[in-house]
């Protein structure tokens, strides 16, 4: 909702707070403000100019104009617009002016003719095409005839207005109108509101003689129509056009603009029909029939069902109720008689239809959230009076309606002690009564009991708790006392919460950054990066198809994040997430399991003048896991090809003892291509199993007093034997002084028998007390060599 500050000042005349003040105050009292903008920001030296003469440049579409901008001499400006004419007042950008996209106007020559400025269209001032009443090819914008030459164009176009963008939550749909916003501001500052009225003049001819209305569905509490004859369709006056543009609405013509003005002013959707196109004087509002077709104003033919509400004339739909009118009955330049509709439509029905057709309009959004049912007739009469004023029509006498609907008054009671108990305050009767009156509520007091009558514009208030909330926000949340909850025992983190913090600290120490992914994804991505077939849980009515199914893995979400960053030139990434995955079980809700996952892509070290780039590889990803599991014993990495989305030759299963806790490796190139990412390494671990297997305590080992000894050993071994098998065999030799086994060379190729490879290891021996003798070292090496030969049939080289 875009709120014009200038319009708001008209409705709250005593308001002195600036737009910036309102941004803060409204945000702290319950309605979030997205920001404040000003259309004139960044623009300069734009004035009203009057064209004194215009000459064509031969064999071109250009004109040489003399433009009076209030200086002693007129300016010569070359312009290519078709609508240039003598006497026309237009937007003139002087030399040095700034227009849209920070473009600076300079003195120059066009086709050899000197040009000292520019005559502008609205789009050249940055007016969005969605709200611009003119297309660029229509030419330059014509200013009002009474605009003063040489003055700034901003006040005439209301571009000096501050626009406050409100982020309206569904419970505060009353603020989806200027009157609602004015009531809110008046309540915040304790100021009266002033809403202008219009006298409606009717002719003797009765509306009922021209048209009749019937409603055959219980989803339309009331439906009303007025008729205006003798209208002349034309552009709206400039004040109305600029007011609509500042509200984010494109001006169309004087009749349609009035309905949009009332939508923004009252929050009441209206619709104007060309009465002569009905082909009938009877309007029937009913549920559509399955298969009925209607071409809406956007030119799209839509097939209706019995769930939709249709406005019909002569048995055929002429509008999709509460959403959009039909193309066959739209207002055109030939329209002379207008049928003006105001109604209340059931919000749930409107939402379903709007969602089904992906057709969300300003009208449908208001019906979905609710409208002020007490001002439907008032808004209709105001609109009829405006159309008569701006389009020169005559309003027929009376309103034709399905029934004389009036909303039921809402009366709620609350005691002063209940207010103070809920808020922790000691407010007096007078303070609470003043707050209710600021809100525009009718209140009576009996002892300490408030009986409050809620106006129809605040349909979100119905119970005692609502009144407490209103008192709190107007009194000021920052004025409420701050007290700590009383308790005999202090809170403590659970074992899993402590463990999550440890894992987070470890990942970040490894250079990874935390991200938060979506728990919902597509059905296909939900079961990627898991082995076997998994059942999933999907939403019955997802917001989008991309967010419909609970994930069974987190890696697909991390790859989406990498793809998003890669498309924005951020290619070196190391990210992790600690969250839950969801396992579906029969007939009960999904089970949440804590897990962690990480993804690394790009370069570990960026290229510079001193260093070559170092790309991520499997060992870097493996090192992240090793750092995380440094305190665990008997951690192994075993070759693994059970997941089709992972590279079969660069993926390892992570095993602690006899328990598999996750995997680490490279994303399969085909999967990486599907995600539009480069070579990426990922890993995932089961947090619950890690917590179960975590060592109970860290055992301190004395620092050895003597120096370590290293010896190398080279093995000729079958090519299918793995590093893990060799290390396990060496460690199982039971040499007590052996503390470290490190692979430093692998060779396969010429000079080796077929099916063989050479692997070289560095073995570190570290006794605790006495330095090892040559005999002890030789004995240890012989024992290890013998064990390798017997267990793996290796050849010691």
């Amino acid at each position: 909702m875009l709120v014009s500050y200038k319009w708001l000042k008209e409705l709250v005349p005593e308001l002195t707070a600036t737009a910036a003040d309102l941004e803060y105050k409204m945000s702290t009292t319950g309605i979030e403000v997205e920001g404040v903008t000003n259309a004139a920001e960044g623009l300069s030296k734009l004035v009203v100019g009057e064209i004194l003469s215009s000459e064509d440049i031969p064999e071109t579409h250009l004109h040489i104009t003399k433009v009076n901008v209030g200086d002693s001499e007129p300016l010569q400006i070359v312009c290519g617009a078709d609508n240039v004419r003598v006497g026309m007042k237009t937007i003139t950008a002087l030399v040095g002016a700034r227009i849209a996209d920070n473009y600076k106007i300079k003195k120059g020559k066009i086709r050899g003719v000197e040009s000292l400025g520019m005559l502008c269209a609205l789009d050249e001032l940055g007016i969005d095409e969605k709200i611009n009443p003119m297309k660029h090819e229509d030419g330059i914008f014509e200013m009002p005839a009474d605009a003063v030459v040489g003055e700034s164009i901003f006040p005439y176009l209301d571009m000096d207005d501050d626009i406050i963008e409100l982020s309206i939550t569904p419970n505060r749909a009353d603020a989806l109108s200027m009157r609602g916003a004015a009531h809110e501001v008046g309540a915040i500052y304790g100021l009266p509101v002033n809403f202008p009225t219009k006298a409606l003049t009717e002719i003797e001819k009765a509306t009922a003689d021209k048209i009749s209305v019937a409603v055959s569905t219980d989803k339309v509490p009331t439906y009303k129509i007025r008729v205006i004859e003798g209208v002349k369709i034309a552009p709206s006056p400039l004040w109305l056009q600029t007011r609509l543009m500042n509200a984010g609405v494109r001006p169309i013509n004087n009749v349609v603009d009035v309905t949009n003005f009332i939508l923004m002013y009252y929050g009441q959707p209206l619709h104007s029909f060309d009465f002569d196109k009905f082909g009938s004087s009877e309007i029937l509002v009913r549920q559509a029939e399955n298969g009925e077709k209607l071409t809406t104003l956007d030119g799209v033919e839509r097939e209706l069902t019995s769930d939709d509400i249709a406005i019909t004339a002569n048995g055929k739909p002429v509008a999709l109720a509460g959403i959009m009118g039909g193309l066959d009955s739209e207002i055109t330049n030939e329209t002379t008689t207008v049928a003006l509709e105001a109604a209340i439509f059931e919000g749930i029905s409107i939402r379903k239809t709007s969602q089904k057709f992906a057709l969300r309009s300003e009208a449908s959004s208001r019906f979905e959230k609710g409208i002020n049912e007490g001002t439907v007739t008032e808004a209709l009469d105001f609109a009829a009076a405006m159309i008569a004023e701006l389009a020169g029509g005559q309003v027929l006498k009376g309103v034709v309606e399905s029934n004389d609907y009036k909303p039921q008054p809402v009366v709620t009671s609350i005691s002063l002690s209940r207010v103070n108990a809920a808020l922790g305050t000691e407010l007096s009767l007078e303070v609470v009564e003043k707050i209710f009156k600021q809100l525009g509520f009718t209140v009576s007091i009996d002892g300490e009991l408030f009986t409050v009558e809620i106006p129809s514009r605040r349909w979100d208030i119905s119970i005692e708790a609502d009144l407490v909330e209103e008192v709190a926000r107007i009194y000021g949340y920052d004025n409420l006392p701050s007290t700590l909850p009383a308790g005999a025992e202090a809170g403590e983190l659970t074992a899993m919460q402590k463990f999550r913090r440890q894992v987070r600290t470890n990942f970040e120490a490894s250079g990874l950054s935390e991200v938060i992914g979506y728990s919902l994804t597509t059905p296909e991505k939900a079961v990627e990066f898991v082995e076997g077939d998994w059942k999933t849980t999907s939403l019955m009515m997802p917001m989008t198809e991309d967010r419909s199914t609970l994930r069974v893995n987190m890696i697909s979400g991390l790859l989406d994040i990498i793809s998003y960053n890669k498309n924005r030139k951020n290619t070196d990434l190391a990210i992790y997430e600690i969250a839950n995955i969801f396992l579906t079980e029969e007939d009960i809700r999904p089970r949440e399991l804590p897990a962690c996952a990480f993804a690394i892509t790009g370069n570990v070290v960026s290229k510079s003048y001193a260093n070559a780039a170092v790309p991520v590889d499997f060992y870097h990803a493996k090192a992240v896991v090793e750092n995380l599991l440094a305190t665990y014993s008997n951690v192994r990495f075993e070759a693994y090809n059970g997941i089709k989305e992972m590279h079969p030759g660069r993926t390892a299963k992570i095993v602690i003892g006899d328990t598999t806790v996750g995997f680490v490796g490279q994303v399969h190139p085909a999967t990486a291509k599907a995600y539009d990412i480069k070579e990426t390494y990922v890993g995932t671990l089961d947090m619950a199993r890690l917590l179960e297997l975590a060592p109970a305590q860290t055992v301190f080992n004395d620092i050895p007093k003597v120096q370590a000894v290293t010896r190398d050993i080279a093995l000729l071994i079958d090519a299918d034997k793995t590093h893990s098998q060799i290390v396990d065999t060496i460690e199982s030799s039971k040499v007590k002084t052996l503390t470290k086994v490190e692979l430093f060379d692998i060779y396969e190729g010429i000079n080796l028998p077929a099916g063989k490879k050479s692997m070289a290891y560095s073995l570190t021996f570290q006794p605790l007390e006495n330095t090892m003798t040559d005999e002890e070292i030789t004995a240890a090496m012989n024992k290890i060599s013998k064990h390798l030969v017997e267990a793996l049939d290796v050849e010691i080289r």
Side-chain angles (χ1 to χ4, degrees):
M1 173 68 186
L2 301 180
V3 173
S4 159
Y5 179 75
K6 290 172 71 173
W7 194 356
L8 191 63
K9 282 274 291 180
E10 294 175 12
L11 305 180
V12 190
E14 297 179 24
L15 179 65
T16 57
T18 64
D21 295 335
L22 284 175
E23 179 180 13
Y24 171 78
K25 197 67 174 177
M26 294 182 78
S27 292
T28 56
T29 53
I31 296 182
E32 183 181 352
V33 178
E34 294 285 351
V36 178
T37 58
N38 190 298
E41 187 174 353
L43 306 179
S44 64
K45 300 184 76 171
L46 297 167
V47 301
V48 178
E50 182 179 8
I51 299 175
L52 303 179
S53 66
S54 176
E55 298 179 8
D56 295 341
I57 298 179
E59 298 181 357
T60 72
H61 69 290
L62 301 174
H63 317 281
I64 304 173
T65 64
K66 297 291 186 180
V67 182
N68 176 17
V69 292
D71 294 338
S72 57
E73 296 291 333
L75 299 178
Q76 178 173 285
I77 297 176
V78 177
C79 178
D82 292 337
N83 63 335
V84 169
R85 71 175 193 278
V86 174
M88 181 182 186
K89 291 184 177 178
T90 186
I91 301 168
T92 305
L94 306 177
V95 172
R98 295 281 181 178
I99 59 174
D101 300 323
N102 200 33
Y103 184 81
K104 185 177 182 179
I105 302 300
K106 300 177 181 178
K107 181 191 300 185
K109 287 189 176 182
I110 302 176
R111 293 295 180 95
V113 179
E114 186 178 52
S115 183
L116 302 176
M118 179 179 178
L119 304 183
C120 300
L122 289 180
D123 60 334
E124 289 161 329
L125 305 188
I127 304 298
D128 194 296
E129 64 177 359
K130 294 179 181 178
I131 61 172
N132 194 336
M134 293 183 65
K135 297 179 180 179
H136 185 76
E137 54 268 25
D138 292 338
I140 57 177
F141 184 79
E142 183 168 1
M143 294 292 289
D146 60 353
V148 178
V149 170
E151 287 192 352
S152 170
I153 57 99
F154 298 141
Y156 292 102
L157 299 179
D158 277 339
M159 294 182 69
D160 57 346
D161 192 6
D162 289 320
I163 306 301
I164 306 167
E165 183 177 358
L166 304 183
S167 179
I168 305 297
T169 52
N171 66 308
R172 288 306 310 274
D174 61 287
L176 280 173
S177 68
M178 286 302 303
R179 287 166 64 102
H183 276 298
E184 180 69 10
V185 171
I188 293 171
Y189 290 99
L191 301 175
V193 295
N194 177 41
F195 299 137
T197 59
K198 283 193 177 294
L200 177 62
T201 303
E202 300 174 318
I203 62 175
E204 287 301 317
K205 186 176 179 181
T207 307
D209 295 338
K210 187 90 171 177
I211 197 169
S212 64
V213 165
V215 174
S216 64
T217 173
D218 60 358
K219 296 180 180 179
V220 183
T222 188
Y223 188 87
K224 306 171 185 287
I225 273 193
R226 274 193 175 277
V227 175
I228 305 101
E229 293 182 334
V231 301
K232 182 175 178 56
I233 305 301
S236 296
L238 184 60
W239 72 266
L240 179 54
Q241 292 191 42
T242 57
R243 187 144 287 183
L244 290 178
M245 287 191 289
N246 281 346
V249 178
R250 183 171 66 90
I252 298 174
N253 58 54
N254 48 8
V255 171
V256 175
D257 290 353
V258 167
T259 62
N260 287 328
F261 175 86
I262 297 299
L263 177 69
M264 296 301 162
Y265 182 43
Y266 278 91
Q268 171 65 52
L270 303 177
H271 187 68
S272 53
F273 299 95
D274 186 328
F275 176 83
D276 296 327
K277 294 179 180 178
F278 279 164
S280 172
S281 61
E282 297 179 356
I283 299 297
L284 174 61
V285 184
R286 58 171 172 81
Q287 298 298 135
E289 297 175 1
N290 290 326
E292 277 190 308
K293 289 183 170 55
L294 169 68
T295 301
T296 47
L297 286 170
D298 56 1
V300 178
E301 184 180 73
R302 305 181 188 276
E303 185 172 324
L304 311 184
T305 67
S306 58
D307 293 330
D308 308 319
I309 306 172
I311 314 299
T312 66
N314 199 24
K316 297 180 180 180
V318 294
L320 194 55
I323 300 175
M324 187 174 285
L327 188 63
D328 292 341
S329 59
E330 73 169 330
I331 301 296
T332 64
N333 290 337
E334 288 72 39
T335 299
T336 58
T337 303
V338 173
L340 189 62
E341 164 202 284
I344 302 173
F345 299 113
E346 183 192 67
I348 295 175
S349 177
I350 298 301
R351 181 180 181 276
K352 288 181 178 178
T353 299
S354 174
Q355 187 178 48
K356 177 176 66 177
F357 290 122
L359 186 61
R360 189 170 179 82
S361 63
E362 292 284 354
S364 68
S365 66
R366 284 164 174 79
F367 281 125
E368 289 175 23
K369 296 180 177 68
I371 62 172
N372 185 354
E373 297 181 353
T375 58
V376 177
T377 302
E378 180 183 337
L380 179 62
D381 291 346
F382 197 105
M386 276 193 73
I387 290 175
E389 177 185 328
L390 299 180
Q394 294 180 318
V395 182
L396 273 58
K397 187 175 183 179
V399 176
V400 174
E401 54 191 356
S402 60
N403 62 341
D404 186 18
Y405 176 85
K406 289 183 175 57
Q408 294 296 318
V410 175
V411 178
T412 304
S413 298
I414 191 171
S415 65
L416 178 65
S417 57
R418 176 73 184 96
V419 171
N420 283 326
L423 302 180
T425 55
E426 297 181 359
L427 302 179
S428 65
L429 279 170
E430 292 73 21
V431 170
V432 177
E433 180 186 18
K434 181 183 178 184
I435 289 174
F436 287 143
K437 288 183 176 180
Q438 282 180 220
L439 288 162
F441 300 168
T442 302
V443 59
S444 60
I445 304 175
D446 183 7
E448 70 159 16
L449 183 68
F450 296 96
T451 301
V452 184
E453 184 176 337
I454 312 300
S456 61
R457 61 180 174 80
R458 289 301 305 275
W459 59 90
D460 60 306
I461 299 176
S462 59
I463 60 176
E464 185 182 79
D466 296 330
L467 294 178
V468 173
E469 182 182 4
E470 292 300 298
V471 172
R473 67 185 194 85
I474 299 302
Y475 179 67
Y477 293 117
D478 52 345
N479 294 324
L480 298 178
S482 300
T483 56
L484 293 173
E489 298 180 1
E492 184 179 4
L493 296 176
T494 65
M496 179 56 74
Q497 288 172 329
K498 292 178 182 178
F499 186 57
R500 287 168 68 104
R501 293 190 177 190
Q502 294 172 8
V503 172
R504 181 178 290 109
T505 300
N506 195 289
F507 274 142
E508 291 179 1
S510 296
L512 279 69
S513 300
E514 186 173 16
V515 296
I516 300 175
Y518 290 99
S519 296
L520 292 167
T521 184
T522 64
E524 296 76 22
K525 289 182 179 179
V527 293
E528 288 182 335
F529 298 97
V530 293
E531 186 175 6
D533 295 329
W534 292 73
K535 293 183 178 180
T536 58
T537 302
S538 296
L539 302 181
M540 293 179 64
M541 296 180 64
M543 293 291 287
T544 67
E545 290 301 320
D546 291 342
R547 302 281 176 255
S548 63
T549 305
L550 288 171
R551 64 185 177 185
V552 179
N553 79 95
M554 291 191 293
I555 294 177
S556 59
L558 296 180
L559 298 188
D560 283 333
I561 294 172
I562 287 177
S563 177
Y564 180 90
N565 280 269
K566 175 251 182 184
N567 292 335
R568 287 154 182 79
K569 309 302 182 184
N570 187 16
T571 55
D572 298 336
L573 291 171
I575 58 178
Y576 75 94
E577 181 178 8
I578 302 174
N580 292 336
I581 58 175
F582 303 85
L583 302 186
T584 301
E585 298 182 351
E586 294 294 338
D587 301 325
I588 59 175
R589 69 178 185 174
R591 184 158 55 97
E592 299 184 35
L593 294 180
C596 63
F598 67 89
I600 312 173
T601 188
N603 293 323
V604 180
V605 177
S606 298
K607 181 181 178 180
S608 68
Y609 74 95
N611 302 304
V614 179
V616 174
D617 59 15
F618 172 83
Y619 298 103
H620 186 85
K622 178 172 174 279
V624 172
V625 179
E626 289 175 331
N627 289 340
L628 180 63
L629 304 181
T631 59
Y632 291 75
S633 58
N634 199 12
V635 177
R636 303 192 313 281
F637 295 85
E638 300 177 357
Y640 182 47
N641 60 1
I643 298 176
K644 65 180 185 300
E645 291 83 12
M646 298 296 294
H647 194 301
R650 297 182 182 177
T651 303
K653 183 187 297 183
I654 305 167
V655 182
I656 300 177
D658 297 325
T659 305
T660 300
V661 296
F663 65 84
V664 62
Q666 181 186 341
V667 175
H668 196 289
T671 304
K673 184 177 180 181
Y675 279 89
D676 191 25
I677 58 178
K678 295 183 179 180
E679 184 174 314
T680 300
Y681 292 84
V682 298
T684 184
L685 295 118
D686 186 325
M687 295 278 287
R689 289 184 178 178
L690 288 181
L691 183 58
E692 290 174 5
L693 298 171
Q697 60 180 352
T698 301
V699 179
F700 173 75
N701 293 321
D702 289 334
I703 299 174
K705 298 177 182 178
V706 296
Q707 190 169 351
V709 177
T710 60
R711 290 290 185 271
D712 296 340
I713 184 170
L715 315 173
L716 186 64
I717 190 169
D718 293 340
D720 60 350
K721 295 295 191 295
T722 65
H723 166 70
S724 178
Q725 289 176 296
I726 296 172
V727 172
D728 288 346
T729 303
I730 293 174
E731 291 178 345
S732 64
S733 301
K734 298 181 180 180
V735 175
K736 294 181 179 180
T737 55
L738 179 66
T739 58
K740 186 177 180 181
V741 180
E742 186 173 5
L743 174 70
F744 67 85
D745 183 60
I746 300 176
Y747 176 74
E748 290 182 272
I750 59 175
N751 299 327
L752 288 182
K756 297 289 185 177
K757 64 182 176 181
S758 174
M759 301 182 72
Y761 288 84
S762 176
L763 307 182
T764 301
F765 301 93
Q766 179 70 72
L768 293 177
E769 296 293 338
N770 301 316
T771 303
M772 293 181 71
T773 64
D774 288 341
E775 291 77 9
E776 289 173 330
I777 297 170
T778 301
M781 290 296 294
N782 289 338
K783 186 175 182 180
I784 292 171
S785 299
K786 181 180 178 182
H787 197 56
L788 285 168
V789 172
E790 292 174 350
L792 299 177
D793 191 26
V794 306
E795 180 183 334
I796 307 298
R797 303 186 71 192

